[in-house]
Amino acid sequence: MEIKNDTDLESLSGSSSEPTLSYDRARDESVPVPSGPERLASHASSPSRSHFSRGSFQSWSRGAEGLELGSCSIEQMSFPELKERHAAATATVNSLRERLKQRRQQLLDTDVVANYTRTQGRTAVNFSSTDLVCCRTLQGHTGKVYSLDWTSERNRIVSASQDGRLIVWNALTSQKTHAIKLPCAWVMTCAFAPNGHSISCGGLDSACSIFNLNSQVDRDGNIPVSRVLMGHKGYVSSCQYVPDRESHLVTSSGDQTCVLWDVTTGQRISIFGGEFPSGHTSDVLSYNVSSKNNFPSPSVSVSSSNSNMFVSGSCDATARLWDARIASRAIRTYNGHQGDVNTVKFFPDGQRFGSGSDDGKCRLFDMRTGHLLQVYAQQHNNNEPDFPFVTSIAFSISGRLLFAGYSNGDCYVWDTLLAEVVVNLGKLQSSHEGRISCLGLSDDGSALCTGSWDKNLKIWAFGGLRKVI
Amino acid sequence: MAVNGGEGEGPEAHLLPPSMRQPSRTGDFLGKHRLSAAITRLSQEIQFLETELNELETTETSAEACKEVCSNTEDKSDALLPVTPGPENPAWHRWFQRVRSSQSRKWWTNKGSSDSS
C-alpha cells in the first residue's frame, strides 16, 4: 500500500481497549506500549532513535536519507515545519517500501517448490477418474451458499446462505440438525466453535452473531441469538474461532480491520489494521478509503499450530501476518498478487500459508522469511476481460493437495509440490452447477465439503483403491 | 488547512482583519499534536522497514523452506491421496459405508457411486 496521503499510516497504530505490545524488531521482543496519552508517543526501537514523550519531539536522524531534525518541543515548532517533516517521513516510508518490494522481486522465483520437487525425482499425484467422488449432496438452502465450516468432531457442518439462514448438517447422514433464520438475512460467513456447541456468523449488518445450539428455541422455533459482537464499521466477511480458545473469535471486515473478540463478554480484545484516518479534517490528514464492490473479502485464517498467529487477506492485494498480542502493526506483509486477496489458509505445518486472489492465482508463502515459494496458475488468455478468479482454498491434511474454487465453477485440485492440476472437481459428472464459493476439509482430512452458488453443498471423499506405504 | 476561527477568539473577532485576529491556540496545538503522533508512527514504520530490508540480505533462501515443505508433506498420512503413508484410519471409509439415519429410511449406496438423496 503506497501512502497516498500523509497519514494513511494512522491505521498502523490500531486501537485497543487494553494496553498492547509493540513488536520491537531490532530487539526481537515485544515491549509494552504505554497506555493513555503517552500511547501517541510510541517508544523507539533502538538507542540511536528517539523516544517520543508527550509534548516533546526529540531528534532523530536518518543519516543516509539526509533528514536531520533538531530537538524541540511541539509548541516551538510551527505547523508548516511539522507538515514538512511529516511529508519527508512519508516519502521515506514509500521509498523503503518500494525498495523492499524490488528486492523481493529480485529474489523471486515463482516455482521454487516445483523445481525443487522435480529435482528430487517426484511425480505428480496420479488420480484415476473415479478416485475423488461426490458422496453426498446436502440440499436445503434456497439461495447461494456463501460459507461453510466443519466441527472438529468430524461430521457436522454449518453453512450460511443468501437465503438468510444457517443450516447445521450431519454430513454423514445428510440430515439437517438445525436451521436458523437470521435476524439479518445478508450473511457472508459462518464458523463453528471448537467445542461444537456454538456457531457464529456475520455479514452486511457489520456484526457477528453467536448462537448456542443447545439453547431453547423461541416460540417461532428459532434459536435465539446469544450474543452480538458489535464494533465493525463495515461488513463482516470472515470469522474464525481461535482453535484452542473457545471464547476467542477473529473477524475480518470490509472496514479493513480484523478484530479479536472475547465472545464471553462481547468485547473487542484488539483491533488490527485499518486504513481510516483519525477524522481530522486538515489537508494533511485526508480521507482515503478503498472500495470493494465484488466478491466479499478480506478473509482470515488462524494458525492451528500457534493460535497467536493469524493471516488476513486484503483488498490491497496483500496478505498480512498478525500476532494476536500485537495490534499495532502486522508482523509481515506479503506482496505478489495482482488483485484482491479473497482467501487465505494456513498450510498444515503452520509455517506456510496459501492465498487465492482476484488475479486468478494461488500462492504459497513462507511465513517466517516472507518468501514466495510457489505460484499456482493456469494458463489463460490475458486479454480475456473476465478470467476466473479464486474464491476459496483449502489444503488437504498433509498439504499435498491444494483445493481451489474459482468463479467459473472450476474446482482445481493442485498437487502442491509439483504445481500441477491433478483433478478438476468442477468438471466431474456430479459436480456443482455454479460457482464454488467455499471449501473446507473435515478435521480428519477424509472429506472435502464444497459450497456453491447452485444452493447445494457437496461432500467429496477418496473412493478408489488406496495404497498405504 | 489549519484550524482557524472559533476557539480562542472573542465574539467580535470576525470584524477584525485576519492579521489582527488572535490565533486559535487550542486548535493549532491539537493539530500539531496529531501531526506529531503521525510522525512518530511513520518513524517507527521506517525502522521496521529498514530492519526488514536488512533481514532480507541475511535471511536464508527459499531452498530451506522448500525442503521443509516437501518433508512435512510427505510424512503425513492423508485420506485423500491414492498413495499415502500409514496408518490408515478405518474411519476414513465411513463416507462409503451404509448409514441409517434415524429420521430417514434411506441407506447410502456403496463405495464408488454418488449419493441418492
Side-chain angles (χ1 to χ4, degrees):
Chain A
M1 174 192 91
E2 176 169 334
I3 304 173
K4 297 188 178 63
N5 294 290
D6 293 346
T7 52
D8 287 1
L9 272 181
E10 292 244 353
S11 65
L12 290 178
S13 64
S15 62
S16 169
S17 57
E18 295 175 4
T20 55
L21 299 176
S22 176
Y23 182 67
D24 184 329
R25 295 287 294 268
R27 288 193 263 173
D28 192 26
E29 62 181 2
S30 298
V31 291
V33 176
S35 60
E38 284 76 17
R39 282 185 68 202
L40 286 177
S42 308
H43 72 284
S45 62
S46 78
S48 64
R49 302 300 187 197
S50 61
H51 178 87
F52 294 100
S53 58
R54 186 183 181 190
S56 77
F57 186 37
Q58 294 183 5
S59 65
W60 52 277
S61 66
R62 286 285 299 112
E65 300 292 334
L67 297 172
E68 298 278 334
L69 303 171
S71 176
C72 55
S73 69
I74 294 174
E75 289 78 14
Q76 290 173 342
M77 293 180 67
S78 71
F79 199 81
E81 274 177 319
L82 279 173
K83 276 178 66 170
E84 195 184 310
R85 293 179 186 199
H86 188 276
T90 302
T92 304
V93 166
N94 282 336
S95 155
L96 283 170
R97 283 187 170 166
E98 192 52 39
R99 274 171 58 190
L100 200 50
K101 229 174 179 177
Q102 282 173 13
R103 189 72 189 110
R104 285 214 181 268
Q105 190 69 25
Q106 283 167 1
L107 296 171
L108 188 67
D109 179 352
T110 57
D111 288 302
V112 186
V113 171
N115 289 338
Y116 173 80
T117 311
R118 279 188 209 109
T119 62
Q120 301 298 304
R122 305 284 192 281
T123 53
V125 173
N126 185 18
F127 284 108
S128 75
S129 57
T130 54
D131 277 347
L132 286 178
V133 294
C134 171
C135 54
R136 303 284 188 280
T137 298
L138 307 180
Q139 294 175 308
H141 279 300
T142 55
K144 296 171 181 172
V145 176
Y146 285 146
S147 179
L148 67 91
D149 192 28
W150 291 83
T151 48
S152 53
E153 54 171 276
R154 296 191 322 202
N155 290 340
R156 287 194 301 157
I157 296 172
V158 62
S159 58
S161 162
Q162 186 193 34
D163 62 10
R165 285 180 160 74
L166 298 180
I167 295 181
V168 180
W169 312 82
N170 180 321
L172 202 55
T173 62
S174 295
Q175 297 299 317
K176 305 173 199 42
T177 62
H178 302 80
I180 301 172
K181 191 168 184 321
L182 296 168
C184 170
W186 307 106
V187 63
M188 288 176 169
T189 183
C190 59
F192 241 121
N195 63 10
H197 297 320
S198 296
I199 51 182
S200 67
C201 68
L204 286 186
D205 57 353
S206 304
C208 202
S209 301
I210 312 292
F211 297 88
N212 185 330
L213 297 178
N214 299 326
S215 311
Q216 280 230 307
V217 296
D218 61 22
R219 76 181 93 173
D220 296 323
N222 266 326
I223 293 178
V225 180
S226 59
R227 192 169 288 287
V228 181
L229 307 177
M230 302 187 68
H232 274 302
K233 295 178 175 58
Y235 57 79
V236 175
S237 51
S238 184
C239 60
Q240 187 181 351
Y241 282 86
V242 177
D244 55 3
R245 280 178 214 160
E246 289 295 335
S247 60
H248 284 192
L249 180 78
V250 179
T251 53
S252 63
S253 167
D255 67 11
Q256 297 175 52
T257 69
C258 296
V259 172
L260 175 66
W261 305 84
D262 183 330
V263 175
T264 318
T265 60
Q267 297 299 311
R268 286 177 291 190
I269 299 171
S270 292
I271 303 174
F272 307 87
E275 286 155 355
F276 280 32
S278 62
H280 201 274
T281 53
S282 148
D283 61 355
V284 170
L285 309 168
S286 51
Y287 207 70
N288 180 26
V289 157
S290 63
S291 65
K292 179 88 177 88
N293 52 18
N294 51 17
F295 192 78
S297 78
S299 64
V300 70
S301 174
V302 182
S303 170
S304 54
S305 58
N306 178 354
S307 57
N308 284 318
M309 308 302 284
F310 68 92
V311 174
S312 66
S314 176
C315 28
D316 65 358
T318 69
R320 288 170 206 244
L321 174 69
W322 302 89
D323 184 322
R325 299 160 296 186
I326 304 168
S328 55
R329 185 186 190 270
I331 301 298
R332 197 177 285 289
T333 300
Y334 305 82
N335 294 293
H337 278 297
Q338 282 117 25
D340 298 0
V341 176
N342 296 322
T343 175
V344 287
K345 277 283 166 57
F346 265 97
F347 195 65
D349 70 3
Q351 298 302 312
R352 264 57 65 168
F353 70 90
S355 59
S357 164
D358 268 1
D359 66 9
K361 299 174 187 170
C362 300
R363 287 166 188 254
L364 182 69
F365 289 97
D366 184 72
M367 195 177 79
R368 196 172 47 81
T369 60
H371 289 321
L372 170 68
L373 298 180
Q374 188 64 50
V375 175
Y376 304 91
Q378 275 293 73
Q379 295 302 317
H380 59 75
N381 186 351
N382 282 329
N383 296 326
E384 278 175 41
D386 294 314
F387 58 83
F389 57 85
V390 182
T391 61
S392 49
I393 61 170
F395 288 102
S396 70
I397 200 168
S398 67
R400 185 63 192 263
L401 302 175
L402 166 63
F403 299 94
Y406 295 79
S407 54
N408 64 350
D410 283 338
C411 182
Y412 288 161
V413 181
W414 290 92
D415 180 320
T416 317
L417 300 186
L418 276 298
E420 292 178 23
V421 177
V422 293
V423 177
N424 182 358
L425 297 179
K427 292 282 189 279
L428 296 182
Q429 195 182 3
S430 46
S431 64
H432 285 287
E433 290 166 5
R435 172 188 299 192
I436 288 173
S437 54
C438 47
L439 299 167
L441 270 291
S442 64
D443 199 53
D444 67 348
S446 64
L448 169 77
C449 183
T450 52
S452 169
W453 281 14
D454 71 0
K455 307 175 193 172
N456 294 333
L457 292 93
K458 285 183 180 283
I459 310 291
W460 307 81
F462 184 83
L465 281 173
R466 184 184 290 115
K467 184 178 173 189
V468 177
I469 53 176
Chain B
M1 180 188 73
V3 176
N4 282 326
E7 298 168 282
E9 297 184 349
E12 281 81 36
H14 67 283
L15 298 175
L16 297 172
S19 57
M20 293 183 68
R21 290 186 197 162
Q22 198 77 359
S24 167
R25 290 189 179 274
T26 308
D28 276 351
F29 179 77
L30 279 175
K32 288 200 303 190
H33 199 74
R34 283 182 175 169
L35 199 48
S36 160
I39 293 170
T40 301
R41 284 188 284 274
L42 284 169
S43 168
Q44 204 169 28
E45 180 68 7
I46 287 168
Q47 291 162 31
F48 283 135
L49 290 169
E50 284 182 331
T51 304
E52 191 172 337
L53 261 172
N54 290 336
E55 276 177 359
L56 207 52
E57 300 308 322
T58 56
T59 196
E60 64 206 37
T61 63
S62 43
E64 279 304 309
C66 285
K67 284 184 198 160
E68 285 180 13
V69 169
C70 287
S71 63
N72 290 347
T73 304
E74 292 177 329
D75 285 344
K76 263 184 114 167
S77 62
D78 189 329
L80 295 176
L81 290 176
V83 179
T84 180
E88 187 177 16
N89 188 338
W92 292 353
H93 303 288
R94 66 187 185 280
W95 302 105
F96 301 100
Q97 290 163 353
R98 290 185 169 197
V99 176
R100 191 168 198 181
S101 158
S102 60
Q103 295 177 17
S104 156
R105 294 186 185 280
K106 288 206 169 116
W107 292 79
W108 295 113
T109 50
N110 287 335
K111 194 171 189 173
S113 50
S114 57
D115 68 287
S116 55
S117 60

mmCIF file of all heavy atoms in Angstrom, chain B residues 87-108:
data_model
loop_
_atom_site.group_PDB
_atom_site.id
_atom_site.type_symbol
_atom_site.label_atom_id
_atom_site.label_comp_id
_atom_site.label_asym_id
_atom_site.label_seq_id
_atom_site.Cartn_x
_atom_site.Cartn_y
_atom_site.Cartn_z
ATOM 1 N N PRO B 87 -0.591 -44.656 9.467
ATOM 2 C CA PRO B 87 -1.570 -45.738 9.422
ATOM 3 C C PRO B 87 -2.876 -45.307 8.763
ATOM 4 O O PRO B 87 -3.229 -44.140 8.805
ATOM 5 C CB PRO B 87 -1.810 -46.049 10.901
ATOM 6 C CG PRO B 87 -1.559 -44.744 11.593
ATOM 7 C CD PRO B 87 -0.531 -44.005 10.788
ATOM 8 N N GLU B 88 -3.552 -46.257 8.166
ATOM 9 C CA GLU B 88 -4.848 -45.969 7.579
ATOM 10 C C GLU B 88 -5.891 -46.034 8.673
ATOM 11 O O GLU B 88 -5.921 -46.968 9.469
ATOM 12 C CB GLU B 88 -5.163 -46.992 6.490
ATOM 13 C CG GLU B 88 -6.431 -46.648 5.707
ATOM 14 C CD GLU B 88 -6.684 -47.639 4.580
ATOM 15 O OE1 GLU B 88 -6.061 -48.716 4.620
ATOM 16 O OE2 GLU B 88 -7.474 -47.325 3.687
ATOM 17 N N ASN B 89 -6.716 -45.031 8.728
ATOM 18 C CA ASN B 89 -7.746 -44.969 9.756
ATOM 19 C C ASN B 89 -9.044 -45.551 9.196
ATOM 20 O O ASN B 89 -9.545 -45.089 8.178
ATOM 21 C CB ASN B 89 -7.947 -43.505 10.165
ATOM 22 C CG ASN B 89 -8.860 -43.342 11.357
ATOM 23 O OD1 ASN B 89 -9.674 -44.225 11.650
ATOM 24 N ND2 ASN B 89 -8.736 -42.216 12.045
ATOM 25 N N PRO B 90 -9.614 -46.563 9.841
ATOM 26 C CA PRO B 90 -10.863 -47.168 9.335
ATOM 27 C C PRO B 90 -11.995 -46.148 9.177
ATOM 28 O O PRO B 90 -12.861 -46.307 8.315
ATOM 29 C CB PRO B 90 -11.226 -48.200 10.408
ATOM 30 C CG PRO B 90 -9.964 -48.464 11.142
ATOM 31 C CD PRO B 90 -9.124 -47.216 11.059
ATOM 32 N N ALA B 91 -11.942 -45.087 9.968
ATOM 33 C CA ALA B 91 -12.996 -44.067 9.888
ATOM 34 C C ALA B 91 -12.999 -43.350 8.548
ATOM 35 O O ALA B 91 -13.998 -42.731 8.172
ATOM 36 C CB ALA B 91 -12.841 -43.062 11.026
ATOM 37 N N TRP B 92 -11.882 -43.421 7.828
ATOM 38 C CA TRP B 92 -11.839 -42.767 6.516
ATOM 39 C C TRP B 92 -12.919 -43.333 5.584
ATOM 40 O O TRP B 92 -13.370 -42.664 4.669
ATOM 41 C CB TRP B 92 -10.472 -42.971 5.858
ATOM 42 C CG TRP B 92 -9.344 -42.259 6.522
ATOM 43 C CD1 TRP B 92 -9.415 -41.361 7.538
ATOM 44 C CD2 TRP B 92 -7.965 -42.405 6.204
ATOM 45 N NE1 TRP B 92 -8.152 -40.934 7.876
ATOM 46 C CE2 TRP B 92 -7.240 -41.551 7.082
ATOM 47 C CE3 TRP B 92 -7.249 -43.159 5.277
ATOM 48 C CZ2 TRP B 92 -5.856 -41.447 7.048
ATOM 49 C CZ3 TRP B 92 -5.874 -43.053 5.235
ATOM 50 C CH2 TRP B 92 -5.188 -42.196 6.115
ATOM 51 N N HIS B 93 -13.300 -44.598 5.822
ATOM 52 C CA HIS B 93 -14.229 -45.269 4.919
ATOM 53 C C HIS B 93 -15.694 -44.979 5.229
ATOM 54 O O HIS B 93 -16.587 -45.443 4.523
ATOM 55 C CB HIS B 93 -13.998 -46.789 4.972
ATOM 56 C CG HIS B 93 -12.611 -47.186 4.639
ATOM 57 N ND1 HIS B 93 -12.111 -47.114 3.360
ATOM 58 C CD2 HIS B 93 -11.586 -47.626 5.416
ATOM 59 C CE1 HIS B 93 -10.841 -47.516 3.361
ATOM 60 N NE2 HIS B 93 -10.501 -47.830 4.596
ATOM 61 N N ARG B 94 -15.937 -44.220 6.274
ATOM 62 C CA ARG B 94 -17.319 -44.027 6.715
ATOM 63 C C ARG B 94 -18.195 -43.375 5.648
ATOM 64 O O ARG B 94 -19.420 -43.558 5.636
ATOM 65 C CB ARG B 94 -17.370 -43.216 8.008
ATOM 66 C CG ARG B 94 -16.913 -41.778 7.898
ATOM 67 C CD ARG B 94 -16.856 -41.162 9.304
ATOM 68 N NE ARG B 94 -16.541 -39.743 9.297
ATOM 69 C CZ ARG B 94 -15.296 -39.250 9.170
ATOM 70 N NH1 ARG B 94 -14.274 -40.069 9.004
ATOM 71 N NH2 ARG B 94 -15.097 -37.947 9.202
ATOM 72 N N TRP B 95 -17.567 -42.613 4.768
ATOM 73 C CA TRP B 95 -18.353 -41.909 3.757
ATOM 74 C C TRP B 95 -18.954 -42.875 2.735
ATOM 75 O O TRP B 95 -19.857 -42.501 1.981
ATOM 76 C CB TRP B 95 -17.469 -40.873 3.043
ATOM 77 C CG TRP B 95 -16.894 -39.898 4.022
ATOM 78 C CD1 TRP B 95 -15.611 -39.849 4.475
ATOM 79 C CD2 TRP B 95 -17.596 -38.884 4.727
ATOM 80 N NE1 TRP B 95 -15.467 -38.857 5.414
ATOM 81 C CE2 TRP B 95 -16.672 -38.242 5.588
ATOM 82 C CE3 TRP B 95 -18.921 -38.443 4.722
ATOM 83 C CZ2 TRP B 95 -17.025 -37.192 6.414
ATOM 84 C CZ3 TRP B 95 -19.279 -37.388 5.547
ATOM 85 C CH2 TRP B 95 -18.325 -36.771 6.388
ATOM 86 N N PHE B 96 -18.458 -44.104 2.714
ATOM 87 C CA PHE B 96 -18.946 -45.074 1.733
ATOM 88 C C PHE B 96 -19.631 -46.263 2.389
ATOM 89 O O PHE B 96 -19.943 -47.246 1.734
ATOM 90 C CB PHE B 96 -17.780 -45.550 0.862
ATOM 91 C CG PHE B 96 -17.113 -44.415 0.146
ATOM 92 C CD1 PHE B 96 -15.930 -43.868 0.619
ATOM 93 C CD2 PHE B 96 -17.697 -43.866 -0.985
ATOM 94 C CE1 PHE B 96 -15.322 -42.798 -0.042
ATOM 95 C CE2 PHE B 96 -17.103 -42.807 -1.647
ATOM 96 C CZ PHE B 96 -15.911 -42.275 -1.172
ATOM 97 N N GLN B 97 -19.850 -46.159 3.694
ATOM 98 C CA GLN B 97 -20.495 -47.262 4.383
ATOM 99 C C GLN B 97 -21.968 -46.982 4.547
ATOM 100 O O GLN B 97 -22.409 -45.840 4.510
ATOM 101 C CB GLN B 97 -19.843 -47.479 5.748
ATOM 102 C CG GLN B 97 -18.443 -48.031 5.618
ATOM 103 C CD GLN B 97 -17.641 -47.866 6.889
ATOM 104 O OE1 GLN B 97 -18.079 -47.217 7.842
ATOM 105 N NE2 GLN B 97 -16.473 -48.468 6.922
ATOM 106 N N ARG B 98 -22.707 -48.020 4.784
ATOM 107 C CA ARG B 98 -24.143 -47.841 4.956
ATOM 108 C C ARG B 98 -24.398 -47.134 6.266
ATOM 109 O O ARG B 98 -23.890 -47.515 7.302
ATOM 110 C CB ARG B 98 -24.836 -49.196 4.953
ATOM 111 C CG ARG B 98 -24.797 -49.821 3.590
ATOM 112 C CD ARG B 98 -25.563 -51.089 3.546
ATOM 113 N NE ARG B 98 -25.710 -51.526 2.167
ATOM 114 C CZ ARG B 98 -26.588 -52.406 1.776
ATOM 115 N NH1 ARG B 98 -27.398 -52.968 2.635
ATOM 116 N NH2 ARG B 98 -26.662 -52.747 0.516
ATOM 117 N N VAL B 99 -25.188 -46.093 6.167
ATOM 118 C CA VAL B 99 -25.525 -45.322 7.364
ATOM 119 C C VAL B 99 -27.019 -45.215 7.416
ATOM 120 O O VAL B 99 -27.657 -44.749 6.473
ATOM 121 C CB VAL B 99 -24.921 -43.906 7.314
ATOM 122 C CG1 VAL B 99 -25.363 -43.079 8.503
ATOM 123 C CG2 VAL B 99 -23.403 -43.980 7.248
ATOM 124 N N ARG B 100 -27.585 -45.637 8.521
ATOM 125 C CA ARG B 100 -29.027 -45.494 8.635
ATOM 126 C C ARG B 100 -29.313 -44.243 9.432
ATOM 127 O O ARG B 100 -28.885 -44.097 10.553
ATOM 128 C CB ARG B 100 -29.620 -46.709 9.332
ATOM 129 C CG ARG B 100 -31.129 -46.705 9.230
ATOM 130 C CD ARG B 100 -31.719 -47.989 9.644
ATOM 131 N NE ARG B 100 -33.067 -48.109 9.142
ATOM 132 C CZ ARG B 100 -33.850 -49.135 9.357
ATOM 133 N NH1 ARG B 100 -33.403 -50.151 10.039
ATOM 134 N NH2 ARG B 100 -35.062 -49.179 8.881
ATOM 135 N N SER B 101 -30.031 -43.367 8.829
ATOM 136 C CA SER B 101 -30.413 -42.148 9.526
ATOM 137 C C SER B 101 -31.625 -42.428 10.385
ATOM 138 O O SER B 101 -32.520 -43.149 9.981
ATOM 139 C CB SER B 101 -30.749 -41.072 8.501
ATOM 140 O OG SER B 101 -31.582 -40.105 9.084
ATOM 141 N N SER B 102 -31.658 -41.846 11.571
ATOM 142 C CA SER B 102 -32.797 -42.078 12.460
ATOM 143 C C SER B 102 -34.056 -41.429 11.930
ATOM 144 O O SER B 102 -35.156 -41.773 12.322
ATOM 145 C CB SER B 102 -32.482 -41.538 13.856
ATOM 146 O OG SER B 102 -32.237 -40.147 13.775
ATOM 147 N N GLN B 103 -33.909 -40.475 11.025
ATOM 148 C CA GLN B 103 -35.092 -39.771 10.528
ATOM 149 C C GLN B 103 -35.464 -40.194 9.120
ATOM 150 O O GLN B 103 -36.370 -39.668 8.515
ATOM 151 C CB GLN B 103 -34.816 -38.256 10.531
ATOM 152 C CG GLN B 103 -34.611 -37.726 11.935
ATOM 153 C CD GLN B 103 -34.277 -36.255 11.937
ATOM 154 O OE1 GLN B 103 -34.500 -35.560 10.951
ATOM 155 N NE2 GLN B 103 -33.726 -35.787 13.025
ATOM 156 N N SER B 104 -34.708 -41.131 8.611
ATOM 157 C CA SER B 104 -34.998 -41.499 7.228
ATOM 158 C C SER B 104 -34.747 -42.977 7.066
ATOM 159 O O SER B 104 -33.937 -43.559 7.756
ATOM 160 C CB SER B 104 -34.089 -40.682 6.306
ATOM 161 O OG SER B 104 -33.928 -41.337 5.079
ATOM 162 N N ARG B 105 -35.431 -43.557 6.122
ATOM 163 C CA ARG B 105 -35.173 -44.981 5.885
ATOM 164 C C ARG B 105 -34.151 -45.174 4.783
ATOM 165 O O ARG B 105 -33.924 -46.262 4.318
ATOM 166 C CB ARG B 105 -36.476 -45.666 5.494
ATOM 167 C CG ARG B 105 -37.472 -45.672 6.620
ATOM 168 C CD ARG B 105 -38.708 -46.479 6.247
ATOM 169 N NE ARG B 105 -39.708 -46.370 7.299
ATOM 170 C CZ ARG B 105 -39.670 -47.077 8.434
ATOM 171 N NH1 ARG B 105 -38.717 -47.928 8.641
ATOM 172 N NH2 ARG B 105 -40.608 -46.922 9.359
ATOM 173 N N LYS B 106 -33.538 -44.084 4.341
ATOM 174 C CA LYS B 106 -32.618 -44.203 3.209
ATOM 175 C C LYS B 106 -31.306 -44.813 3.660
ATOM 176 O O LYS B 106 -30.820 -44.583 4.754
ATOM 177 C CB LYS B 106 -32.353 -42.829 2.609
ATOM 178 C CG LYS B 106 -33.560 -42.295 1.861
ATOM 179 C CD LYS B 106 -33.165 -41.321 0.799
ATOM 180 C CE LYS B 106 -34.388 -41.067 -0.056
ATOM 181 N NZ LYS B 106 -34.857 -39.740 0.000
ATOM 182 N N TRP B 107 -30.722 -45.609 2.763
ATOM 183 C CA TRP B 107 -29.415 -46.185 3.004
ATOM 184 C C TRP B 107 -28.467 -45.639 1.953
ATOM 185 O O TRP B 107 -28.818 -45.529 0.790
ATOM 186 C CB TRP B 107 -29.478 -47.708 2.860
ATOM 187 C CG TRP B 107 -30.275 -48.353 3.936
ATOM 188 C CD1 TRP B 107 -31.637 -48.427 4.016
ATOM 189 C CD2 TRP B 107 -29.780 -49.015 5.083
ATOM 190 N NE1 TRP B 107 -32.010 -49.094 5.128
ATOM 191 C CE2 TRP B 107 -30.898 -49.474 5.814
ATOM 192 C CE3 TRP B 107 -28.494 -49.281 5.554
ATOM 193 C CZ2 TRP B 107 -30.747 -50.175 7.004
ATOM 194 C CZ3 TRP B 107 -28.368 -49.982 6.731
ATOM 195 C CH2 TRP B 107 -29.493 -50.424 7.450
ATOM 196 N N TRP B 108 -27.256 -45.326 2.375
ATOM 197 C CA TRP B 108 -26.319 -44.794 1.404
ATOM 198 C C TRP B 108 -25.796 -45.907 0.530
ATOM 199 O O TRP B 108 -25.645 -47.031 0.953
ATOM 200 C CB TRP B 108 -25.156 -44.076 2.120
ATOM 201 C CG TRP B 108 -25.691 -42.891 2.835
ATOM 202 C CD1 TRP B 108 -25.753 -42.698 4.168
ATOM 203 C CD2 TRP B 108 -26.325 -41.763 2.237
ATOM 204 N NE1 TRP B 108 -26.378 -41.523 4.458
ATOM 205 C CE2 TRP B 108 -26.743 -40.919 3.287
ATOM 206 C CE3 TRP B 108 -26.589 -41.385 0.913
ATOM 207 C CZ2 TRP B 108 -27.392 -39.712 3.064
ATOM 208 C CZ3 TRP B 108 -27.251 -40.190 0.700
ATOM 209 C CH2 TRP B 108 -27.638 -39.366 1.770
#
